[in-house]
Amino acid sequence: HRTSCGLLVDVAALRKRSSADGFVHVDLDSNVTSVRSLDQDDPGSAGMVIEGAVALRRRILLLKGLRLVTVRESEWRELDDTKEKRRHLRNLLAAFGDVLE
């Protein structure tokens, strides 16, 4: 989805179909959006470091007042069924308070 400031997000929940900005924007963290140091032998032991362009885009979206939730692809794939995935999204969205009403 392209926001009103021209930046892309992976998923947007829109109030109306014609809305430029979503009610909530979801961005995915994956191996494409993160980087790791070349001197690390075990990639699983290191924390995820977000690529600079992705981090900048997220900061701009937040400064523009857009609601942004980040979902890690690895965590999402570990969830077994739709019910668990729905619960995971509800937990992430709970920080906004009025989103689920």
Side-chain angles (χ1 to χ4, degrees):
H1 175 78
R2 186 174 304 276
T3 63
S4 62
C5 57
L7 298 173
L8 295 173
V9 292
D10 294 317
V11 179
L14 303 175
R15 287 189 189 271
K16 296 180 187 174
R17 203 176 197 128
S18 61
S19 297
D21 286 328
F23 185 52
V24 175
H25 299 85
V26 180
D27 216 21
L28 301 176
D29 274 345
S30 66
N31 59 352
V32 176
T33 61
S34 61
V35 294
R36 71 176 181 89
S37 176
L38 293 175
D39 61 350
Q40 290 177 336
D41 294 330
D42 183 19
S45 66
M48 185 179 275
V49 177
I50 302 302
E51 189 176 74
V54 174
L56 177 62
R57 178 174 47 85
R58 290 178 182 172
R59 277 192 300 254
I60 292 170
L61 291 170
L62 292 172
L63 287 172
K64 293 287 186 180
L66 303 178
R67 295 175 175 192
L68 183 67
V69 173
T70 304
V71 177
R72 286 193 169 179
E73 181 183 22
S74 58
E75 292 175 0
W76 187 257
R77 290 186 184 274
E78 290 174 5
L79 300 173
D80 290 329
D81 60 1
T82 305
K83 192 173 187 177
E84 283 186 27
K85 290 178 179 180
R86 192 176 303 126
R87 187 179 309 124
H88 182 67
L89 284 176
R90 283 187 185 275
N91 289 338
L92 291 173
L93 295 173
F96 295 123
D98 63 340
V99 171
L100 298 176
E101 295 174 359

